[in-house]
Amino acid sequence: MPNVTLTINKQSYTLTDLDPRTTLLDVCRHHLNLTGSKKGCDHGQCGACTMIVNGRRINSCLALAIMHEGDDITTIEGLGEPAALSDIQQAFVDNDAFQCGYCTPGQICSATALFDEIEQRWPSHVSTSLTDPELIDVQEIAERMSGNICRCSAYPNIIKAIQQVIDSRGLGHESASQGDQIAAKSGQAIEPPQIWSPPPSNIHHPDAHQTAADLIDSAQAQPSATRNMGVAL
């Protein structure tokens, strides 16, 4: 069994006789008592285990610890403290961007790396230019955070929290002006991005209380050709 020395949140940890199959996530949670990073799917699909390694976000449930000796590893514990939150942690509080909170450490680690990507002007899959990304809007944020799942569906407020930090750091101003210029040249109207959210549950739908018998009567009243076409469709 190998001995491994890891640098996590600027502290050095030496693990003796570590099973080489141990993931970085399990080392933090079970060996070092750094339990902020969560194990969700354990398949790299939900993002709850996201950590930042050498400035880039990774799924720590898929990363063997022995592969990261000498790397600079940051977990949620290294980003802020209750009395001194990072700006994105504070933005999550300000915008109520969590419910159960299980995915929140991964969301915050991922967003922290996202800000660095924007500063370095890395394009995303939805960027229209690979060399000069434009407006950092809802679609860009959603795409860049798509590897982090929130099963409580707090996405609108997560996007608001991330947008708050982008605005406070001035990361989106230059990109937004470029996007506005392109839209103006093409004659398109410039509208603020809209964040989708479900309608309130107390909306009255007139057809909500329509009975099965009413539906059958309505269908029988239609011409047979129309009914047959509906079945075929």
Side-chain angles (χ1 to χ4, degrees):
M1 297 291 184
N3 296 336
V4 179
T5 299
L6 299 174
T7 302
I8 303 175
N9 302 326
K10 307 303 180 183
Q11 296 186 32
S12 181
Y13 300 90
T14 299
L15 300 103
T16 59
D17 297 328
L18 181 69
D19 189 323
R21 298 169 296 179
T22 309
T23 65
L24 181 58
L25 177 63
D26 285 341
V27 161
C28 288
R29 290 184 57 82
H30 302 302
H31 294 257
L32 304 179
N33 199 32
L34 297 171
T35 57
S37 303
K38 306 304 183 187
K39 180 177 286 191
C41 65
D42 207 26
H43 286 75
Q45 297 176 349
C46 72
C49 68
T50 302
M51 296 181 189
I52 304 172
V53 177
N54 297 332
R56 300 186 66 174
R57 43 189 165 161
I58 69 165
N59 292 318
S60 61
C61 73
L62 299 181
L64 296 178
I66 60 173
M67 297 172 60
H68 294 286
E69 188 166 21
D71 288 344
D72 182 13
I73 303 166
T74 303
T75 68
I76 188 66
E77 290 88 350
L79 295 180
E81 300 177 355
L85 299 177
S86 70
D87 54 358
I88 183 60
Q89 289 173 323
Q90 185 61 54
F92 265 61
V93 174
D94 294 343
N95 293 276
D96 193 23
F98 48 84
Q99 292 186 37
C100 78
Y102 195 83
C103 75
T104 303
Q107 297 273 2
I108 289 175
C109 284
S110 189
T112 300
L114 177 150
F115 301 137
D116 292 336
E117 294 171 7
I118 293 175
E119 285 183 341
Q120 298 173 41
R121 303 190 64 75
W122 288 8
S124 78
H125 182 69
V126 299
S127 299
T128 57
S129 171
L130 297 180
T131 58
D132 191 18
E134 301 167 9
L135 180 65
I136 304 300
D137 56 9
V138 172
Q139 288 72 28
E140 277 282 355
I141 295 173
E143 168 62 24
R144 291 171 186 265
M145 292 294 293
S146 60
N148 292 79
I149 295 174
C150 173
R151 301 186 190 279
C152 299
S153 294
Y155 297 117
N157 290 353
I158 291 172
I159 291 176
K160 288 178 182 177
I162 294 172
Q163 188 69 62
Q164 175 178 309
V165 176
I166 289 175
D167 292 342
S168 67
R169 293 191 186 185
L171 297 178
H173 293 171
E174 181 181 355
S175 297
S177 64
Q178 293 173 355
D180 292 347
Q181 292 172 8
I182 293 174
K185 289 180 180 178
S186 63
Q188 299 175 359
I190 302 171
E191 299 180 356
Q194 299 297 316
I195 298 178
W196 179 89
S197 60
S201 59
N202 60 354
I203 291 180
H204 175 67
H205 296 282
D207 297 333
H209 302 291
Q210 191 174 21
T211 65
D214 294 335
L215 293 174
I216 293 174
D217 293 342
S218 176
Q220 290 177 343
Q222 296 178 6
S224 58
T226 304
R227 293 203 308 271
N228 291 338
M229 182 175 65
V231 172
L233 290 174

Coordinates of all heavy atoms in Angstrom, one line a residue, residues 204-211 214:
H204 N -56.1 28.9 -11.3 CA -57.3 28.1 -11.6 C -57.3 27.8 -13.1 O -57.2 28.7 -13.9 CB -58.5 29.0 -11.2 CG -59.8 28.3 -11.6 ND1 -60.2 27.1 -11.0 CD2 -60.8 28.6 -12.5 CE1 -61.4 26.8 -11.6 NE2 -61.7 27.7 -12.5
H205 N -57.5 26.5 -13.4 CA -57.7 26.1 -14.7 C -59.1 25.6 -14.9 O -59.6 24.7 -14.2 CB -56.7 24.9 -15.0 CG -55.3 25.3 -14.9 ND1 -54.6 25.9 -15.9 CD2 -54.4 25.1 -13.9 CE1 -53.4 26.1 -15.6 NE2 -53.2 25.6 -14.4
P206 N -59.9 26.3 -15.8 CA -61.3 26.0 -16.0 C -61.5 24.5 -16.3 O -62.6 24.0 -15.9 CB -61.7 26.9 -17.1 CG -60.7 28.0 -17.2 CD -59.4 27.4 -16.7
D207 N -60.6 23.8 -17.0 CA -60.8 22.5 -17.4 C -60.3 21.5 -16.4 O -60.3 20.3 -16.6 CB -60.1 22.2 -18.7 CG -60.7 23.0 -19.8 OD1 -61.9 23.4 -19.7 OD2 -60.0 23.3 -20.8
A208 N -59.8 22.0 -15.3 CA -59.2 21.1 -14.3 C -60.2 20.1 -13.7 O -59.8 19.0 -13.3 CB -58.5 21.9 -13.2
H209 N -61.5 20.5 -13.6 CA -62.5 19.6 -13.0 C -63.3 18.9 -14.0 O -64.4 18.4 -13.7 CB -63.3 20.4 -12.0 CG -62.6 21.2 -11.0 ND1 -61.9 20.5 -10.0 CD2 -62.3 22.5 -10.8 CE1 -61.3 21.4 -9.2 NE2 -61.5 22.6 -9.7
Q210 N -62.9 18.9 -15.3 CA -63.6 18.2 -16.3 C -63.6 16.7 -16.0 O -62.5 16.2 -15.8 CB -63.0 18.5 -17.7 CG -63.9 18.1 -18.8 CD -63.4 18.6 -20.1 OE1 -62.2 18.9 -20.3 NE2 -64.2 18.6 -21.2
T211 N -64.7 16.1 -16.1 CA -64.8 14.7 -15.7 C -64.4 13.8 -16.9 O -64.4 14.3 -18.1 CB -66.2 14.3 -15.3 OG1 -67.1 14.5 -16.3 CG2 -66.6 15.2 -14.1
D214 N -67.2 13.8 -19.4 CA -67.2 15.0 -20.3 C -66.2 14.8 -21.5 O -66.5 15.2 -22.6 CB -66.9 16.2 -19.5 CG -68.0 16.6 -18.5 OD1 -69.1 16.2 -18.7 OD2 -67.6 17.2 -17.5

